[in-house]
Amino acid sequence: MGKEDGKEKQVEERKGPQSLVSFKEESNVVSDLSDIERKSLALLHLKKEERQSVIVTQEAQTAQETPKTEASASESDVSTEIKPPAETQESKVEVTPEKESQEVAKEEPKVASSPEEVTIWGIPLLKDDRSDVVLLKFLRARDFKVRDAFVMIKNTIQWRRDFKIDELVDEDLGDDLEKVVFMHGYDREGHPVCYNVYGEFQNKELYQKTFSDEEKRLKFLRWRIQFLERSIRKLDFSPSGISTVFQVNDLKNSPGPGKKELRLATKQALLLLQDNYPEFVAKQVFINVPWWYVAFYTMISPFMTQRTKSKFVFAGPSKSAETLFKYVSPEQVPTQYGGLSVDFCDCNPEFTIADPATEITVKPATKQTVEIILYEKCILVWELRVVGWE
């Protein structure tokens, strides 16, 4: 009995990592938050405002101290000169109205200019209700611990400055990897869908060009961040809008765990994205998952939070299309994944993602009738695709 149980467990493990309890995305509307969450959001707002106030005060103090420093320096320069008594010197100074106004103007402290407005992903941190959506992302990533969320925001702002994100967005980094990562369609809840196709790295030339040394891996990381930044800036950060992405990770023909360079790049990207891009993924669906991915997932799992892992869904090759269709309707799924979505062109003018598809499950040894309602005389064009069978 014990041996049989052990064999069954091994078979289950070879199927791939198990999905945890399904993640449900929370509302960003303040009135929908719990009392604790609203309080945390208010406290984080206060901390950001205090931080900005401190910056203004420090700049004002610096501006006021600057003339004094210059004055003291000029006094020290002439301190070795022999001067008459102060009274005598004062009596010889002639004060005209024009000169008096100049002296007063000199003594007035400089007005500190307000600090540059802090923005993340093009959203000001202290301006409107879009700020709440950004701050809630950091709070949720730190379980609504205000201090931890505040530290995370500070670190992210500093990292963005160091990495020169705003300049990176406009750089031309080439299109060598456009088939590796691309956006296509929307899921059933309206999230834009991002596909990550790891099998493209079976191409040895592309693999070497992307991962062979530290400099190339950094370039890949910069390209991936640029792609993410450009995608994020198209999202709707209003409280009732969609500010997350649905990720599909295709592991078909993916290089195995023996590829050290890919492991290093993946780990580096994972840590960086988790620290600086909180709560941008609504769901992570892994399709065409090979048996060896168990070991790889076990290796990277400790670097991910429980909340991150709760968004994961895994499907082997035989269940990939079926799993995708649970979240993305067939007319939105590219044809290479069993869907009906193709790029519009002269050679294929018939269907677009705006044309809904009907999904039907035909049980063994049964028939199924499909009805297509027509309201006028027309030419009927249809397409049937079998995406899974037993």
Side-chain angles (χ1 to χ4, degrees):
M1 188 70 179
K3 288 182 179 179
E4 288 177 2
D5 288 344
K7 286 181 181 178
E8 287 177 6
K9 188 174 181 182
Q10 284 181 351
V11 171
E12 285 180 7
E13 285 180 351
R14 285 178 69 87
K15 289 180 182 176
Q18 301 300 304
S19 305
L20 300 177
V21 178
S22 183
F23 171 80
K24 182 172 174 56
E25 202 168 12
E26 303 96 337
S27 171
N28 287 318
V29 178
V30 174
S31 59
D32 293 339
L33 304 177
S34 68
D35 291 340
I36 294 175
E37 290 171 345
R38 276 199 298 270
K39 185 179 178 181
S40 297
L41 179 59
L43 286 172
L44 188 55
H45 262 296
L46 189 61
K47 268 188 166 291
K48 286 300 299 173
E49 287 167 6
E50 286 176 351
R51 169 93 175 156
Q52 197 131 340
S53 175
V54 167
I55 292 171
V56 173
T57 306
Q58 286 176 344
E59 287 193 1
Q61 286 177 350
T62 305
Q64 288 176 7
E65 288 170 3
T66 303
K68 292 181 180 179
T69 308
E70 291 173 356
S72 60
S74 61
E75 285 173 8
S76 63
D77 290 341
V78 295
S79 59
T80 54
E81 293 179 9
I82 300 172
K83 298 179 181 179
E87 291 181 4
T88 311
Q89 192 179 28
E90 285 177 6
S91 63
K92 291 182 179 178
V93 175
E94 183 182 353
V95 179
T96 63
E98 186 182 351
K99 197 167 186 178
E100 188 175 7
S101 64
Q102 289 175 356
E103 293 293 333
V104 172
K106 273 186 181 179
E107 290 174 5
E108 286 180 359
K110 293 180 183 176
V111 179
S113 58
S114 59
E116 187 179 345
E117 190 174 45
V118 177
T119 62
I120 298 183
W121 310 300
I123 308 298
L125 276 186
L126 293 171
K127 191 169 185 180
D128 50 39
D129 54 6
R130 294 178 304 162
S131 306
D132 290 343
V133 177
V134 173
L135 296 179
L136 280 169
K137 288 181 182 293
F138 287 95
L139 282 168
R140 285 179 175 133
R142 293 295 179 262
D143 298 321
F144 281 88
K145 295 173 183 174
V146 178
R147 177 175 289 184
D148 293 349
F150 183 65
V151 170
M152 187 182 187
I153 291 172
K154 285 201 304 179
N155 291 342
T156 296
I157 291 171
Q158 188 58 53
W159 172 80
R160 293 176 70 81
R161 286 172 180 162
D162 295 342
F163 215 81
K164 298 181 179 178
I165 294 296
D166 292 329
E167 290 89 339
L168 175 63
V169 171
D170 298 321
E171 280 187 39
D172 181 7
L173 298 178
D175 56 3
D176 295 343
L177 300 171
E178 62 180 4
K179 291 183 179 179
V180 176
V181 184
F182 60 90
M183 306 294 291
H184 190 103
Y186 298 85
D187 73 358
R188 295 181 186 273
E189 295 179 356
H191 301 95
V193 181
C194 177
Y195 290 85
N196 301 275
V197 189
Y198 291 91
E200 291 292 325
F201 290 123
Q202 281 287 86
N203 181 324
K204 292 182 180 179
E205 184 180 345
L206 180 63
Y207 184 91
Q208 289 295 321
K209 190 176 180 180
T210 310
F211 300 119
S212 60
D213 58 46
E214 185 64 32
E215 184 180 346
K216 290 183 174 66
R217 289 193 291 272
L218 178 60
K219 185 179 178 182
F220 167 73
L221 193 61
R222 285 170 55 79
W223 180 88
R224 188 64 183 87
I225 290 169
Q226 183 194 66
F227 182 90
L228 180 60
E229 282 284 332
R230 289 176 175 178
S231 302
I232 285 174
R233 291 173 192 230
K234 296 176 184 176
L235 298 174
D236 181 2
F237 280 86
S238 63
S240 57
I242 292 176
S243 61
T244 50
V245 174
F246 186 97
Q247 291 261 21
V248 177
N249 302 282
D250 180 12
L251 301 178
K252 184 179 180 180
N253 296 326
S254 173
K259 296 288 186 179
K260 179 183 175 183
E261 300 85 3
L262 180 59
R263 284 205 320 270
L264 288 172
T266 302
K267 181 180 174 182
Q268 187 180 11
L270 184 67
L271 290 171
L272 192 149
L273 297 178
Q274 187 167 270
D275 288 343
N276 299 287
Y277 294 89
E279 300 302 310
F280 272 106
V281 177
K283 187 76 70 178
Q284 285 265 24
V285 177
F286 294 80
I287 59 174
N288 297 312
V289 177
W291 64 267
W292 56 259
Y293 192 74
V294 180
F296 184 66
Y297 178 78
T298 303
M299 181 184 69
I300 65 175
S301 182
F303 300 102
M304 295 181 285
T305 64
Q306 198 68 14
R307 181 179 172 86
T308 297
K309 288 185 280 189
S310 71
K311 300 177 184 180
F312 289 2
V313 175
F314 300 94
S318 64
K319 296 288 184 181
S320 290
E322 179 186 331
T323 302
L324 266 184
F325 294 157
K326 287 180 182 178
Y327 305 101
V328 187
S329 56
E331 67 269 19
Q332 299 275 352
V333 177
T335 53
Q336 64 261 42
Y337 298 115
L340 298 169
S341 177
V342 294
D343 292 330
F344 180 84
C345 62
D346 293 336
C347 59
N348 185 53
E350 308 297 348
F351 299 108
T352 69
I353 59 175
D355 299 315
T358 301
E359 303 167 58
I360 294 175
T361 301
V362 183
K363 294 182 180 179
T366 64
K367 295 179 180 180
Q368 185 73 44
T369 301
V370 179
E371 289 186 356
I372 302 176
I373 300 173
L374 304 178
Y375 296 100
E376 58 185 24
K377 186 178 179 180
C378 63
I379 296 174
L380 181 65
V381 179
W382 58 278
E383 182 175 348
L384 175 68
R385 189 178 297 275
V386 178
V387 296
W389 60 89
E390 294 180 0

